[in-house]
Amino acid sequence: MEKLYDKSLTELHDMLAAKEITALDLTKATLDRLKETEEQIGSFITISGEKAIALAKAVDAKGITESNPLAGIPIGIKDNIVTKDILTTAGSKMLHNFNPIYDATVMDKVYQADMIPVGKLNMDEFAMGGSTETSYYKKTKNAWDQTKVPGGSSGGSAAAVAAGQVPVSLGSDTGGSIRQPAAFNGIVGLKPTYGRVSRFGLIAFASSLDQIGPLTRNVTDNALALTAISGFDEKDGTSAGVSVPDFTEDLTGDIKGMKIALPKEYLGEGVQPDVRTAVLKAAETFKALGATVEEVSLPHSKYGVAVYYIIASSEASSNLQRFDGIRYGYRSENVKNLEDVYINSRTEGFGNEVKRRIMLGTFSLSAGYYDAHFKKAGQVRTLIKQDFDHVFADYDLIIGPATPTVAFGLGENINDPITMYMNDILTIPVNLAGLPGMSIPAGFSEGLPVGLQIIGKHFDEHTMYKAAYAFEQATDFHTKKPVILGGE
Amino acid sequence: MAISEEQVKHVANLAKLSFSPSELAEFTKQLGKIIDMVEQLEEVDTQGVAFTSNVNQTINVMREDVAVPGTAREDLMKNVPEAENGYIKVPAIIDNGEAGA
């Protein structure tokens, strides 16, 4: 059979609907591809092959028609999304033995769409990190250069898609955890508007910031996947009762008259020259397509990282209280009394980055520091949000780099938390304001991909996809492949 | 602002974590740097600025008070590390000393 692993989701769908291949053929080919590539990339914590085969047979029995564009398509799932009867670790020793008894709402939607989950993807422990190196289980490699990090925390989700292990994956993004690894691996990753996708069954890190979103190798595939996983969910009190459009509609390439803003702060100090050049070239591309691009200012964005580390860590310290060794997960053997179960299970079950965040959050919420830290951060968050409101009063979209640099080396920043945190300086403000943001391929620096970030208004992913699609049609960055996918 | 080892110990106690002396020294150093970084917020004038805890405008979400089937007890117990007679088993709350748990 011809190779299937470099095909897009829409190409695969056409083959399935035309009965050139079955879902079972595709699932088997995907599992073979995982076998061939997993040692090199290391993106999966768990491969659920038997379940995938059984599901593929059931989908074939039902039949695949043109009206169900995702039926039979293999998908990888970040390991902080709970999957019934499939090990779900969140990259932590704490959940080394956790087999959920229910599915996250996004999994219900994946199954309703007749997609085939093939396994659980590696990630930074509890989604805390920017390189997937804080995972308890393994190191994932960048699809373009196996000496570089895949980014994080959804590093497995990005590397798996870029390396052709799966055509689509789900990740989660609290401060950049979909966009940064998508940028580092040269693929399309979108963090939806806060409330667009249900968080029910997403193991909580920072509840006011977390969102689940899709990673794919092109814009149309991404729009298809987001359409499938979006929508109000009564099980998530913050999910939004807004209608879900078909995000693939209106991908015409025509963006004449679109008003795009380029914040000067996003091209400032710390942004690599090649990254800056790629973004400025992207601005020219948009202009050539008939959009206007003008410089604007987001004056409080420089405080984003500080605000984020207080808010996200405070919420995390509260959310992670549930891991106490009692009802599920890791329980220390080294105990004499109940207090030991709590302290020793947490001390032995959590890694250092998770402990740092719990400690910072607990400190920020503790007596004497609450006003100076947590309350202050919540106020500056308001100012960051207002900066965006001002720009979006006059513009349709904001563009900038997704990350200040291209992928860095494995081991390079792992012992330097602040350098690691600064990596998210361009993505964090979007989460703080609850806006949708995406990264699309926009260039290369020394053989490594550069990601262009596109930020939209609340619940206006539609316009982002429209612009991203037009950019994709006008450029050839998305057609370049890493060696593992057949590139040169 | 630097943070002292004593403060780090106090916070660890609140968070139910423990650190060896060498870890404590390392965490104190790292947390101190992170706290210095976040304290740059002091320079921002936030007089009269509202506090944002969540960008979602919804306050309360209600549902109809209708009974729905719950989760089977057997399922709920599946991930429990140690159980006996349908109960979750934990060591004694008061230290048993040499006798252990």
Side-chain angles (χ1 to χ4, degrees), chain A residues 324-458:
Chain A
D324 57 6
I326 303 294
R327 290 148 300 154
Y328 53 87
Y330 177 79
R331 184 188 283 190
S332 173
E333 301 275 330
N334 167 33
V335 295
K336 287 209 180 89
N337 57 44
L338 187 60
E339 187 77 357
D340 286 350
V341 174
Y342 301 144
I343 294 177
N344 296 349
S345 299
R346 288 167 66 79
T347 299
E348 294 162 24
F350 289 139
N352 279 341
E353 183 59 28
V354 172
K355 288 177 187 170
R356 266 193 290 276
R357 310 267 183 123
I358 291 175
M359 291 290 287
L360 177 63
T362 307
F363 176 77
S364 294
L365 292 170
S366 66
Y369 297 94
Y370 179 87
D371 279 351
H373 279 228
F374 191 68
K375 189 167 170 234
K376 185 83 177 180
Q379 289 176 307
V380 181
R381 184 178 185 180
T382 304
L383 297 173
I384 289 170
K385 188 170 172 294
Q386 286 172 354
D387 283 353
F388 281 115
D389 291 344
H390 290 147
V391 171
F392 279 129
D394 297 318
Y395 296 89
D396 301 310
L397 294 173
I398 295 172
I399 61 167
T403 57
T405 69
V406 293
F408 46 88
L410 282 158
E412 200 176 307
N413 292 333
I414 193 67
N415 295 316
D416 184 355
I418 293 188
T419 303
M420 194 72 99
Y421 296 175
M422 286 302 167
N423 221 335
D424 293 335
I425 191 164
L426 303 168
T427 45
I428 278 172
V430 172
N431 300 72
L432 292 171
L435 297 165
M438 73 193 296
S439 177
I440 60 171
F444 291 87
S445 173
E446 292 174 11
L448 292 168
V450 174
L452 175 75
Q453 185 172 204
I454 302 177
I455 303 166
K457 297 178 185 176
H458 286 114

Side-chain angles (χ1 to χ4, degrees), chain A residues 68-123:
Chain A
N68 193 352
L70 295 170
I73 301 290
I75 184 169
I77 309 293
K78 188 176 181 180
D79 208 21
N80 58 352
I81 294 171
V82 302
T83 45
K84 188 169 192 261
D85 299 326
I86 301 173
L87 182 70
T88 299
T89 70
S92 182
K93 181 181 177 185
M94 184 57 89
L95 292 175
H96 72 107
N97 55 358
F98 179 55
N99 282 294
I101 60 167
Y102 67 101
D103 273 316
T105 295
V106 289
M107 292 312 298
D108 289 343
K109 288 180 179 283
V110 160
Y111 290 123
Q112 276 159 21
D114 285 335
M115 300 188 82
I116 317 281
V118 293
K120 303 300 292 290
L121 292 156
N122 197 24
M123 55 181 283

Side-chain angles (χ1 to χ4, degrees), chain B residues 40-56:
Chain B
Q40 62 162 299
L41 294 183
E42 281 169 10
E43 71 190 48
V44 188
D45 180 8
T46 52
Q47 194 74 38
V49 175
F51 174 85
T52 297
S53 61
N54 198 306
V55 293
N56 189 304

Side-chain angles (χ1 to χ4, degrees), chain A residues 120-134:
Chain A
K120 303 300 292 290
L121 292 156
N122 197 24
M123 55 181 283
D124 281 298
E125 184 179 4
F126 286 106
M128 297 174 190
S131 65
T132 310
E133 292 169 293
T134 73

Side-chain angles (χ1 to χ4, degrees), chain A residues 275-287 442 471 475 477:
Chain A
V275 173
R276 182 196 315 250
T277 304
V279 170
L280 291 173
K281 272 193 185 158
E284 292 308 313
T285 302
F286 282 121
K287 280 183 196 165
F471 183 82
T475 57
F477 306 115

Side-chain angles (χ1 to χ4, degrees), chain A residues 156-325:
Chain A
S157 302
V161 169
Q165 294 184 313
V166 282
V168 53
S169 67
L170 296 183
S172 70
D173 189 316
T174 305
S177 282
I178 289 174
R179 289 160 287 161
Q180 184 253 29
F184 280 9
N185 284 283
I187 60 169
V188 179
L190 184 135
K191 180 206 92 77
T193 309
Y194 185 80
R196 173 67 88 185
V197 176
S198 171
R199 292 183 297 109
F200 179 76
L202 173 65
I203 295 173
F205 162 13
S207 307
S208 81
L209 305 167
D210 299 340
Q211 268 289 291
I212 296 169
L215 297 96
T216 57
R217 289 193 294 270
N218 71 51
V219 173
T220 309
D221 288 1
N222 205 281
L224 271 169
L226 184 65
T227 305
I229 62 167
S230 294
F232 173 72
D233 178 14
E234 65 174 14
K235 292 177 188 158
D236 173 2
T238 61
S239 100
V242 296
S243 63
V244 180
D246 176 351
F247 291 112
T248 61
E249 264 179 16
D250 216 18
L251 299 182
T252 58
D254 179 9
I255 57 162
K256 277 190 197 72
M258 202 177 266
K259 295 180 74 179
I260 298 175
L262 178 56
K264 62 176 184 211
E265 291 82 2
Y266 280 26
L267 293 174
E269 201 189 328
V271 176
Q272 273 177 353
D274 284 356
V275 173
R276 182 196 315 250
T277 304
V279 170
L280 291 173
K281 272 193 185 158
E284 292 308 313
T285 302
F286 282 121
K287 280 183 196 165
L289 288 166
T292 59
V293 182
E294 289 171 353
E295 188 178 283
V296 297
S297 177
L298 295 170
H300 295 92
S301 59
K302 65 180 171 186
Y303 300 111
V305 173
V307 170
Y308 174 83
Y309 277 91
I310 293 173
I311 289 175
S313 301
S314 296
E315 293 185 22
S317 76
S318 172
N319 275 325
L320 271 59
Q321 284 181 74
R322 72 192 60 172
F323 301 103
D324 57 6

